[in-house]
Amino acid sequence: MMKIVADENIPFVVECFSSIGDVKIVSGREITPSLVAQADILLVRSVTKVNSKLLAGSKVRFVATATIGTDHIDTEYLSRNHIGFASAPGSNANSAAEYVIVGLLEIAGRYNIHLEGKSIGIIGVGNVGSKVAKKCSALGMKVKLNDPPLARQTGQAKYLPIEELFDCDFITLHTPLTFEGMDKTFHLANERFFESLKEGCIFFNTSRGAVVDSVALKTAIKKGKLKSAVIDVWENEPNIDVELLEMVDIGTPHIAGYSLDGKVAGTIMIYKAACSYFGFEPEFDVLSFLPEPDIPQLRVNPNKGSEQIILQETVTKIYNIKEDDTKLRQILNIPKEKTGQFFDNLRKNYPIRREFQNTKIILEAAHPSIAKKLAGIGFKVSNEQK
């Protein structure tokens, strides 16, 4: 029987992968060379660095990460050593995009900003960024896109030079983390980047912590260059910059993509890839593990207030981003040597969060504009039948 070592934070990994082997689950930060030496399959998330240091001399034949990012995997080493590899691109893209929408509505409510007609610059237009673009367009925002690799591949004029995004009211990052080449993203958001932004810009990062120079971000906030910042990913995780956390409006523990729907999708993607690699017939799919949603439907009175307030109240009933912010801020009262463990535990014990498409909105009166916006950000919508 094949031996499988897996990060314990991959949901249903034992139930799923037991159909093809014997699964041992451990903390992702405790996956060591001795632990994987006799394993056939290694399953990780972003906290585990997979390289020659970890795998040299092991029996590992297949590696998979249940994440969309692969900057923690030395894919060249895997290829050279004929080790199979799979990731889960797009699995949590909708979850991360919904996080941005909830964050936008929350910040807009705090600062009395009318989102319709405001501009948002999206840097990185892959699986997540493209979904953010569609949802922001549905809210009536003006969307500007920047993605140099896509611009070169497609030649499409909609992909703008980054300089053309600097006058946007909002900027959100959705790039991978890369350290070299013409599209290097390490510290993409540096001092010059922040100085170039429109005064009072609102900044989001849900990509990777090191895409942003934390010192430059703090300077931009201190100077008042940025009106607000929403940060889900941090440099040097899990040992995050608590001074930066104190300065941002919303800070969360790298959970933007942590909907249950997204995590289960990631598990199933790597499970099917492993089955394919070793010639097994998959026994499970996403529906094998997703429970019924806690809130299958919501009744909404579309005439109870402004459209934006109704939208904010509705999304908050599905995902209250303030709760994640409040939990992370407890780290400010913890001894420095324990902050990393606290950050990791928030991720490990993250509560079940479902995506908008699991909830049907029943409008108590016809309101085409609100119906269109709710559907555009992902809800199923119907009018109450009188």
Side-chain angles (χ1 to χ4, degrees):
M1 196 175 209
M2 285 203 299
K3 292 185 177 179
I4 303 169
V5 171
D7 186 319
E8 63 188 3
N9 279 2
I10 300 173
F12 304 108
V13 68
V14 174
E15 296 89 331
C16 200
F17 278 85
S18 290
S19 67
I20 62 173
D22 180 33
V23 184
K24 178 182 178 66
I25 56 169
V26 292
S27 163
R29 295 193 196 278
E30 292 170 10
I31 294 176
T32 60
S34 60
L35 198 64
V36 304
Q38 301 301 314
D40 299 289
I41 297 176
L42 173 62
L43 309 173
V44 301
R45 290 189 60 82
S46 58
V47 299
T48 305
K49 296 275 188 284
V50 180
N51 49 31
S52 60
K53 188 175 176 183
L54 180 66
L55 297 182
S58 76
K59 292 183 177 178
V60 172
R61 293 182 283 156
F62 183 84
V63 171
T65 179
T67 60
I68 58 176
T70 59
D71 48 277
H72 54 298
I73 310 285
D74 186 342
T75 53
E76 289 183 8
Y77 172 82
L78 299 184
S79 179
R80 281 198 311 274
N81 289 275
H82 309 291
I83 297 170
F85 174 66
S87 61
S91 59
N92 66 356
N94 193 59
S95 174
E98 287 187 1
Y99 173 100
V100 173
I101 295 302
V102 173
L104 281 168
L105 287 164
E106 173 64 28
I107 294 298
R110 290 187 194 184
Y111 288 96
N112 196 25
I113 298 166
H114 187 59
L115 290 177
E116 192 157 345
K118 290 290 187 291
S119 55
I120 183 164
I122 299 173
I123 299 175
V125 196
N127 286 310
V128 180
S130 58
K131 283 184 166 55
V132 172
K134 286 180 182 174
K135 293 179 193 298
C136 288
S137 293
L139 293 178
M141 299 183 77
K142 295 173 184 169
V143 175
K144 290 187 176 183
L145 308 175
N146 167 256
D147 193 310
L150 273 178
R152 291 193 301 273
Q153 288 167 27
T154 66
Q156 292 180 1
K158 67 178 180 179
Y159 299 115
L160 305 170
I162 196 168
E163 293 77 16
E164 293 191 33
L165 276 61
F166 289 154
D167 64 346
C168 286
D169 302 301
F170 297 82
I171 292 280
T172 181
L173 302 184
H174 300 288
T175 71
L177 176 61
T178 55
F179 292 92
E180 52 195 34
M182 64 192 301
D183 301 312
K184 180 182 85 166
T185 62
F186 174 73
H187 282 187
L188 170 71
N190 55 18
E191 186 178 3
R192 178 195 264 177
F193 174 95
F194 287 113
E195 285 178 354
S196 303
L197 296 182
K198 176 180 182 177
E199 198 79 23
C201 179
I202 295 171
F203 179 75
F204 281 65
N205 186 21
T206 58
S207 59
R208 283 287 189 263
V211 174
V212 175
D213 179 338
S214 301
V215 175
L217 173 55
K218 287 192 288 188
T219 300
I221 296 171
K222 285 174 187 170
K223 284 183 175 178
K225 183 72 178 182
L226 297 178
K227 183 192 289 283
S228 173
V230 177
I231 303 297
D232 179 59
V233 288
W234 310 79
E235 287 198 278
N236 306 312
E237 290 178 15
N239 302 302
I240 70 168
D241 185 335
V242 292
E243 183 190 22
L244 176 58
L245 173 61
E246 289 185 274
M247 297 169 73
V248 303
D249 273 65
I250 297 174
T252 53
H254 197 154
I255 48 72
Y258 260 37
S259 71
L260 183 63
D261 306 71
K263 289 200 283 188
V264 170
T267 301
I268 294 299
M269 283 176 79
I270 62 171
Y271 167 68
K272 288 185 174 178
C275 286
S276 174
Y277 188 81
F278 289 103
F280 296 112
E281 192 65 34
E283 292 182 22
F284 305 108
D285 61 20
V286 170
L287 296 178
S288 305
F289 300 109
L290 279 179
E292 288 295 311
D294 285 344
I295 307 175
Q297 66 178 42
L298 268 178
R299 297 173 65 85
V300 173
N301 178 354
N303 300 313
K304 198 178 67 172
S306 73
E307 283 190 15
Q308 192 163 295
I309 287 173
I310 290 167
L311 288 168
Q312 184 188 350
E313 289 178 351
T314 302
V315 301
T316 301
K317 284 173 182 166
I318 304 302
Y319 172 39
N320 188 343
I321 199 170
K322 289 183 289 188
E323 291 179 357
D324 283 337
D325 174 77
T326 299
K327 286 175 185 173
L328 182 57
R329 286 183 196 277
Q330 292 171 9
I331 208 169
L332 301 173
N333 306 315
I334 287 173
K336 188 175 181 183
E337 66 273 13
K338 294 184 178 178
T339 57
Q341 184 181 4
F342 182 83
F343 185 91
D344 276 346
N345 282 339
L346 287 177
R347 303 183 76 208
K348 178 180 176 181
N349 302 310
Y350 193 66
I352 288 177
R353 177 173 120 220
R354 300 303 299 276
E355 295 177 8
F356 299 161
Q357 77 254 11
N358 297 293
T359 301
K360 183 178 183 179
I361 305 295
I362 300 171
L363 292 178
E364 295 176 348
H367 198 303
S369 178
I370 284 183
K372 187 177 179 183
K373 286 185 169 74
L374 286 167
I377 61 174
F379 288 100
K380 296 171 186 163
V381 183
S382 72
N383 287 319
E384 186 170 45
Q385 298 298 312
K386 295 291 186 186

mmCIF file of all heavy atoms in Angstrom, residues 246-283:
data_model
loop_
_atom_site.group_PDB
_atom_site.id
_atom_site.type_symbol
_atom_site.label_atom_id
_atom_site.label_comp_id
_atom_site.label_asym_id
_atom_site.label_seq_id
_atom_site.Cartn_x
_atom_site.Cartn_y
_atom_site.Cartn_z
ATOM 1 N N GLU A 246 -1.602 46.832 13.396
ATOM 2 C CA GLU A 246 -2.251 47.930 14.133
ATOM 3 C C GLU A 246 -2.634 49.092 13.215
ATOM 4 O O GLU A 246 -3.549 49.853 13.522
ATOM 5 C CB GLU A 246 -1.318 48.435 15.240
ATOM 6 C CG GLU A 246 -1.150 47.462 16.387
ATOM 7 C CD GLU A 246 -0.322 48.045 17.513
ATOM 8 O OE1 GLU A 246 0.917 47.951 17.464
ATOM 9 O OE2 GLU A 246 -0.926 48.609 18.441
ATOM 10 N N MET A 247 -1.933 49.216 12.080
ATOM 11 C CA MET A 247 -2.136 50.367 11.193
ATOM 12 C C MET A 247 -3.194 50.144 10.116
ATOM 13 O O MET A 247 -3.697 51.107 9.545
ATOM 14 C CB MET A 247 -0.805 50.731 10.526
ATOM 15 C CG MET A 247 0.255 51.170 11.516
ATOM 16 S SD MET A 247 1.894 51.296 10.749
ATOM 17 C CE MET A 247 1.683 52.770 9.771
ATOM 18 N N VAL A 248 -3.522 48.887 9.815
ATOM 19 C CA VAL A 248 -4.470 48.622 8.728
ATOM 20 C C VAL A 248 -5.897 48.615 9.257
ATOM 21 O O VAL A 248 -6.133 48.377 10.440
ATOM 22 C CB VAL A 248 -4.154 47.292 8.002
ATOM 23 C CG1 VAL A 248 -2.733 47.300 7.457
ATOM 24 C CG2 VAL A 248 -4.374 46.082 8.914
ATOM 25 N N ASP A 249 -6.850 48.880 8.370
ATOM 26 C CA ASP A 249 -8.264 48.860 8.779
ATOM 27 C C ASP A 249 -8.755 47.431 8.993
ATOM 28 O O ASP A 249 -9.506 47.160 9.926
ATOM 29 C CB ASP A 249 -9.130 49.523 7.701
ATOM 30 C CG ASP A 249 -9.231 51.018 7.898
ATOM 31 O OD1 ASP A 249 -8.196 51.699 7.774
ATOM 32 O OD2 ASP A 249 -10.321 51.508 8.199
ATOM 33 N N ILE A 250 -8.361 46.546 8.090
ATOM 34 C CA ILE A 250 -8.750 45.140 8.215
ATOM 35 C C ILE A 250 -7.497 44.286 8.021
ATOM 36 O O ILE A 250 -6.781 44.419 7.028
ATOM 37 C CB ILE A 250 -9.818 44.742 7.176
ATOM 38 C CG1 ILE A 250 -11.112 45.539 7.399
ATOM 39 C CG2 ILE A 250 -10.101 43.239 7.239
ATOM 40 C CD1 ILE A 250 -12.164 45.310 6.323
ATOM 41 N N GLY A 251 -7.243 43.420 8.991
ATOM 42 C CA GLY A 251 -6.128 42.479 8.903
ATOM 43 C C GLY A 251 -6.639 41.082 9.208
ATOM 44 O O GLY A 251 -7.348 40.876 10.199
ATOM 45 N N THR A 252 -6.301 40.123 8.360
ATOM 46 C CA THR A 252 -6.787 38.753 8.537
ATOM 47 C C THR A 252 -5.629 37.767 8.329
ATOM 48 O O THR A 252 -4.622 38.103 7.694
ATOM 49 C CB THR A 252 -7.946 38.442 7.571
ATOM 50 O OG1 THR A 252 -7.534 38.761 6.230
ATOM 51 C CG2 THR A 252 -9.178 39.265 7.923
ATOM 52 N N PRO A 253 -5.749 36.533 8.850
ATOM 53 C CA PRO A 253 -4.605 35.606 8.881
ATOM 54 C C PRO A 253 -4.464 34.695 7.664
ATOM 55 O O PRO A 253 -4.451 33.475 7.794
ATOM 56 C CB PRO A 253 -4.875 34.799 10.157
ATOM 57 C CG PRO A 253 -6.366 34.736 10.230
ATOM 58 C CD PRO A 253 -6.855 36.062 9.698
ATOM 59 N N HIS A 254 -4.346 35.299 6.473
ATOM 60 C CA HIS A 254 -4.129 34.536 5.233
ATOM 61 C C HIS A 254 -5.259 33.524 5.032
ATOM 62 O O HIS A 254 -5.026 32.336 4.833
ATOM 63 C CB HIS A 254 -2.764 33.845 5.269
ATOM 64 C CG HIS A 254 -2.283 33.394 3.913
ATOM 65 N ND1 HIS A 254 -0.950 33.233 3.601
ATOM 66 C CD2 HIS A 254 -2.956 33.076 2.782
ATOM 67 C CE1 HIS A 254 -0.830 32.821 2.344
ATOM 68 N NE2 HIS A 254 -2.040 32.717 1.833
ATOM 69 N N ILE A 255 -6.500 34.056 5.057
ATOM 70 C CA ILE A 255 -7.669 33.172 4.960
ATOM 71 C C ILE A 255 -8.625 33.603 3.845
ATOM 72 O O ILE A 255 -9.742 33.077 3.768
ATOM 73 C CB ILE A 255 -8.431 33.085 6.296
ATOM 74 C CG1 ILE A 255 -8.690 34.482 6.903
ATOM 75 C CG2 ILE A 255 -7.637 32.262 7.300
ATOM 76 C CD1 ILE A 255 -9.707 35.339 6.220
ATOM 77 N N ALA A 256 -8.207 34.524 2.988
ATOM 78 C CA ALA A 256 -9.123 35.008 1.944
ATOM 79 C C ALA A 256 -9.680 33.847 1.119
ATOM 80 O O ALA A 256 -10.854 33.830 0.758
ATOM 81 C CB ALA A 256 -8.418 36.010 1.025
ATOM 82 N N GLY A 257 -8.834 32.872 0.833
ATOM 83 C CA GLY A 257 -9.270 31.733 0.026
ATOM 84 C C GLY A 257 -9.762 30.554 0.837
ATOM 85 O O GLY A 257 -9.837 29.434 0.321
ATOM 86 N N TYR A 258 -10.117 30.785 2.105
ATOM 87 C CA TYR A 258 -10.399 29.676 3.018
ATOM 88 C C TYR A 258 -11.869 29.270 3.115
ATOM 89 O O TYR A 258 -12.266 28.656 4.107
ATOM 90 C CB TYR A 258 -9.870 30.021 4.417
ATOM 91 C CG TYR A 258 -8.540 29.380 4.723
ATOM 92 C CD1 TYR A 258 -7.569 29.238 3.734
ATOM 93 C CD2 TYR A 258 -8.223 28.912 5.995
ATOM 94 C CE1 TYR A 258 -6.345 28.658 4.004
ATOM 95 C CE2 TYR A 258 -7.008 28.329 6.271
ATOM 96 C CZ TYR A 258 -6.070 28.202 5.279
ATOM 97 O OH TYR A 258 -4.854 27.624 5.552
ATOM 98 N N SER A 259 -12.670 29.567 2.118
ATOM 99 C CA SER A 259 -14.030 29.027 2.161
ATOM 100 C C SER A 259 -13.943 27.508 2.131
ATOM 101 O O SER A 259 -13.008 26.934 1.562
ATOM 102 C CB SER A 259 -14.856 29.513 0.968
ATOM 103 O OG SER A 259 -14.413 28.893 -0.226
ATOM 104 N N LEU A 260 -14.921 26.849 2.742
ATOM 105 C CA LEU A 260 -14.936 25.389 2.711
ATOM 106 C C LEU A 260 -15.047 24.901 1.272
ATOM 107 O O LEU A 260 -14.392 23.926 0.890
ATOM 108 C CB LEU A 260 -16.102 24.853 3.547
ATOM 109 C CG LEU A 260 -16.167 23.329 3.647
ATOM 110 C CD1 LEU A 260 -14.941 22.773 4.356
ATOM 111 C CD2 LEU A 260 -17.438 22.887 4.345
ATOM 112 N N ASP A 261 -15.840 25.600 0.467
ATOM 113 C CA ASP A 261 -16.010 25.226 -0.946
ATOM 114 C C ASP A 261 -14.656 25.208 -1.648
ATOM 115 O O ASP A 261 -14.329 24.271 -2.392
ATOM 116 C CB ASP A 261 -16.922 26.229 -1.662
ATOM 117 C CG ASP A 261 -18.255 26.416 -0.955
ATOM 118 O OD1 ASP A 261 -18.258 27.020 0.135
ATOM 119 O OD2 ASP A 261 -19.283 25.967 -1.490
ATOM 120 N N GLY A 262 -13.841 26.262 -1.416
ATOM 121 C CA GLY A 262 -12.540 26.371 -2.065
ATOM 122 C C GLY A 262 -11.568 25.319 -1.582
ATOM 123 O O GLY A 262 -10.827 24.725 -2.378
ATOM 124 N N LYS A 263 -11.580 25.064 -0.263
ATOM 125 C CA LYS A 263 -10.637 24.079 0.283
ATOM 126 C C LYS A 263 -10.970 22.663 -0.186
ATOM 127 O O LYS A 263 -10.069 21.890 -0.529
ATOM 128 C CB LYS A 263 -10.623 24.170 1.813
ATOM 129 C CG LYS A 263 -9.955 25.446 2.316
ATOM 130 C CD LYS A 263 -9.508 25.346 3.750
ATOM 131 C CE LYS A 263 -10.642 25.481 4.715
ATOM 132 N NZ LYS A 263 -10.172 25.561 6.122
ATOM 133 N N VAL A 264 -12.259 22.328 -0.205
ATOM 134 C CA VAL A 264 -12.648 20.990 -0.680
ATOM 135 C C VAL A 264 -12.329 20.847 -2.165
ATOM 136 O O VAL A 264 -11.844 19.798 -2.612
ATOM 137 C CB VAL A 264 -14.136 20.717 -0.390
ATOM 138 C CG1 VAL A 264 -14.605 19.440 -1.100
ATOM 139 C CG2 VAL A 264 -14.377 20.594 1.113
ATOM 140 N N ALA A 265 -12.562 21.911 -2.934
ATOM 141 C CA ALA A 265 -12.231 21.870 -4.368
ATOM 142 C C ALA A 265 -10.740 21.598 -4.563
ATOM 143 O O ALA A 265 -10.340 20.825 -5.443
ATOM 144 C CB ALA A 265 -12.629 23.178 -5.048
ATOM 145 N N GLY A 266 -9.898 22.225 -3.728
ATOM 146 C CA GLY A 266 -8.458 22.004 -3.813
ATOM 147 C C GLY A 266 -8.083 20.568 -3.494
ATOM 148 O O GLY A 266 -7.248 19.958 -4.184
ATOM 149 N N THR A 267 -8.708 20.010 -2.454
ATOM 150 C CA THR A 267 -8.454 18.606 -2.103
ATOM 151 C C THR A 267 -8.807 17.682 -3.258
ATOM 152 O O THR A 267 -8.036 16.783 -3.622
ATOM 153 C CB THR A 267 -9.271 18.205 -0.854
ATOM 154 O OG1 THR A 267 -8.919 19.049 0.238
ATOM 155 C CG2 THR A 267 -9.011 16.755 -0.471
ATOM 156 N N ILE A 268 -9.973 17.900 -3.854
ATOM 157 C CA ILE A 268 -10.440 17.018 -4.933
ATOM 158 C C ILE A 268 -9.564 17.162 -6.178
ATOM 159 O O ILE A 268 -9.267 16.180 -6.874
ATOM 160 C CB ILE A 268 -11.920 17.292 -5.257
ATOM 161 C CG1 ILE A 268 -12.801 16.894 -4.070
ATOM 162 C CG2 ILE A 268 -12.350 16.553 -6.518
ATOM 163 C CD1 ILE A 268 -12.730 15.420 -3.695
ATOM 164 N N MET A 269 -9.092 18.380 -6.457
ATOM 165 C CA MET A 269 -8.220 18.579 -7.621
ATOM 166 C C MET A 269 -6.931 17.774 -7.490
ATOM 167 O O MET A 269 -6.499 17.103 -8.434
ATOM 168 C CB MET A 269 -7.911 20.070 -7.814
ATOM 169 C CG MET A 269 -9.058 20.850 -8.425
ATOM 170 S SD MET A 269 -8.724 22.637 -8.540
ATOM 171 C CE MET A 269 -7.686 22.679 -9.999
ATOM 172 N N ILE A 270 -6.309 17.814 -6.309
ATOM 173 C CA ILE A 270 -5.048 17.079 -6.168
ATOM 174 C C ILE A 270 -5.300 15.577 -6.036
ATOM 175 O O ILE A 270 -4.470 14.758 -6.440
ATOM 176 C CB ILE A 270 -4.169 17.626 -5.018
ATOM 177 C CG1 ILE A 270 -4.856 17.489 -3.662
ATOM 178 C CG2 ILE A 270 -3.779 19.080 -5.290
ATOM 179 C CD1 ILE A 270 -3.939 17.827 -2.466
ATOM 180 N N TYR A 271 -6.452 15.213 -5.468
ATOM 181 C CA TYR A 271 -6.814 13.790 -5.372
ATOM 182 C C TYR A 271 -6.981 13.191 -6.766
ATOM 183 O O TYR A 271 -6.428 12.117 -7.072
ATOM 184 C CB TYR A 271 -8.106 13.654 -4.567
ATOM 185 C CG TYR A 271 -8.770 12.292 -4.648
ATOM 186 C CD1 TYR A 271 -8.175 11.164 -4.083
ATOM 187 C CD2 TYR A 271 -10.005 12.149 -5.277
ATOM 188 C CE1 TYR A 271 -8.789 9.920 -4.153
ATOM 189 C CE2 TYR A 271 -10.625 10.909 -5.347
ATOM 190 C CZ TYR A 271 -10.017 9.798 -4.780
ATOM 191 O OH TYR A 271 -10.630 8.572 -4.849
ATOM 192 N N LYS A 272 -7.698 13.890 -7.630
ATOM 193 C CA LYS A 272 -7.908 13.381 -8.990
ATOM 194 C C LYS A 272 -6.583 13.343 -9.773
ATOM 195 O O LYS A 272 -6.350 12.435 -10.571
ATOM 196 C CB LYS A 272 -8.955 14.224 -9.718
ATOM 197 C CG LYS A 272 -10.367 13.976 -9.186
ATOM 198 C CD LYS A 272 -11.418 14.727 -9.988
ATOM 199 C CE LYS A 272 -12.819 14.328 -9.516
ATOM 200 N NZ LYS A 272 -13.885 15.069 -10.220
ATOM 201 N N ALA A 273 -5.720 14.332 -9.505
ATOM 202 C CA ALA A 273 -4.411 14.346 -10.181
ATOM 203 C C ALA A 273 -3.567 13.151 -9.735
ATOM 204 O O ALA A 273 -2.901 12.503 -10.555
ATOM 205 C CB ALA A 273 -3.680 15.652 -9.880
ATOM 206 N N ALA A 274 -3.606 12.837 -8.440
ATOM 207 C CA ALA A 274 -2.853 11.685 -7.927
ATOM 208 C C ALA A 274 -3.415 10.385 -8.503
ATOM 209 O O ALA A 274 -2.655 9.494 -8.904
ATOM 210 C CB ALA A 274 -2.897 11.662 -6.398
ATOM 211 N N CYS A 275 -4.747 10.266 -8.549
ATOM 212 C CA CYS A 275 -5.384 9.074 -9.126
ATOM 213 C C CYS A 275 -4.954 8.890 -10.576
ATOM 214 O O CYS A 275 -4.599 7.779 -11.006
ATOM 215 C CB CYS A 275 -6.912 9.195 -9.039
ATOM 216 S SG CYS A 275 -7.566 8.953 -7.378
ATOM 217 N N SER A 276 -4.951 9.989 -11.312
ATOM 218 C CA SER A 276 -4.562 9.934 -12.715
ATOM 219 C C SER A 276 -3.103 9.505 -12.862
ATOM 220 O O SER A 276 -2.759 8.656 -13.700
ATOM 221 C CB SER A 276 -4.788 11.296 -13.370
ATOM 222 O OG SER A 276 -4.291 11.317 -14.687
ATOM 223 N N TYR A 277 -2.242 10.060 -12.013
ATOM 224 C CA TYR A 277 -0.800 9.780 -12.098
ATOM 225 C C TYR A 277 -0.504 8.307 -11.832
ATOM 226 O O TYR A 277 0.344 7.696 -12.486
ATOM 227 C CB TYR A 277 -0.053 10.672 -11.099
ATOM 228 C CG TYR A 277 1.442 10.613 -11.219
ATOM 229 C CD1 TYR A 277 2.117 11.347 -12.187
ATOM 230 C CD2 TYR A 277 2.209 9.810 -10.363
ATOM 231 C CE1 TYR A 277 3.496 11.298 -12.308
ATOM 232 C CE2 TYR A 277 3.592 9.750 -10.470
ATOM 233 C CZ TYR A 277 4.228 10.497 -11.450
ATOM 234 O OH TYR A 277 5.597 10.444 -11.561
ATOM 235 N N PHE A 278 -1.213 7.732 -10.855
ATOM 236 C CA PHE A 278 -0.931 6.347 -10.470
ATOM 237 C C PHE A 278 -1.899 5.336 -11.092
ATOM 238 O O PHE A 278 -1.806 4.137 -10.830
ATOM 239 C CB PHE A 278 -0.960 6.212 -8.939
ATOM 240 C CG PHE A 278 0.213 6.881 -8.265
ATOM 241 C CD1 PHE A 278 0.060 8.102 -7.625
ATOM 242 C CD2 PHE A 278 1.474 6.303 -8.284
ATOM 243 C CE1 PHE A 278 1.137 8.720 -6.995
ATOM 244 C CE2 PHE A 278 2.558 6.910 -7.670
ATOM 245 C CZ PHE A 278 2.394 8.120 -7.022
ATOM 246 N N GLY A 279 -2.830 5.819 -11.909
ATOM 247 C CA GLY A 279 -3.725 4.912 -12.620
ATOM 248 C C GLY A 279 -4.886 4.370 -11.807
ATOM 249 O O GLY A 279 -5.388 3.271 -12.074
ATOM 250 N N PHE A 280 -5.343 5.158 -10.798
ATOM 251 C CA PHE A 280 -6.509 4.754 -10.005
ATOM 252 C C PHE A 280 -7.774 5.437 -10.526
ATOM 253 O O PHE A 280 -7.704 6.539 -11.094
ATOM 254 C CB PHE A 280 -6.336 5.135 -8.530
ATOM 255 C CG PHE A 280 -5.198 4.437 -7.843
ATOM 256 C CD1 PHE A 280 -4.074 5.143 -7.439
ATOM 257 C CD2 PHE A 280 -5.241 3.074 -7.604
ATOM 258 C CE1 PHE A 280 -3.020 4.517 -6.793
ATOM 259 C CE2 PHE A 280 -4.187 2.433 -6.956
ATOM 260 C CZ PHE A 280 -3.077 3.149 -6.559
ATOM 261 N N GLU A 281 -8.896 4.833 -10.284
ATOM 262 C CA GLU A 281 -10.183 5.450 -10.609
ATOM 263 C C GLU A 281 -10.634 6.257 -9.388
ATOM 264 O O GLU A 281 -10.768 5.722 -8.291
ATOM 265 C CB GLU A 281 -11.226 4.366 -10.921
ATOM 266 C CG GLU A 281 -12.507 4.900 -11.540
ATOM 267 C CD GLU A 281 -12.305 5.522 -12.909
ATOM 268 O OE1 GLU A 281 -11.441 5.038 -13.675
ATOM 269 O OE2 GLU A 281 -13.018 6.504 -13.201
ATOM 270 N N PRO A 282 -10.878 7.572 -9.522
ATOM 271 C CA PRO A 282 -11.295 8.375 -8.363
ATOM 272 C C PRO A 282 -12.644 7.896 -7.802
ATOM 273 O O PRO A 282 -13.549 7.583 -8.564
ATOM 274 C CB PRO A 282 -11.424 9.796 -8.929
ATOM 275 C CG PRO A 282 -10.706 9.780 -10.230
ATOM 276 C CD PRO A 282 -10.766 8.389 -10.750
ATOM 277 N N GLU A 283 -12.727 7.866 -6.482
ATOM 278 C CA GLU A 283 -13.979 7.456 -5.839
ATOM 279 C C GLU A 283 -14.800 8.644 -5.359
ATOM 280 O O GLU A 283 -15.972 8.496 -5.031
ATOM 281 C CB GLU A 283 -13.676 6.541 -4.640
ATOM 282 C CG GLU A 283 -13.098 5.188 -5.013
ATOM 283 C CD GLU A 283 -12.866 4.315 -3.786
ATOM 284 O OE1 GLU A 283 -13.518 4.566 -2.746
ATOM 285 O OE2 GLU A 283 -12.040 3.388 -3.878
#
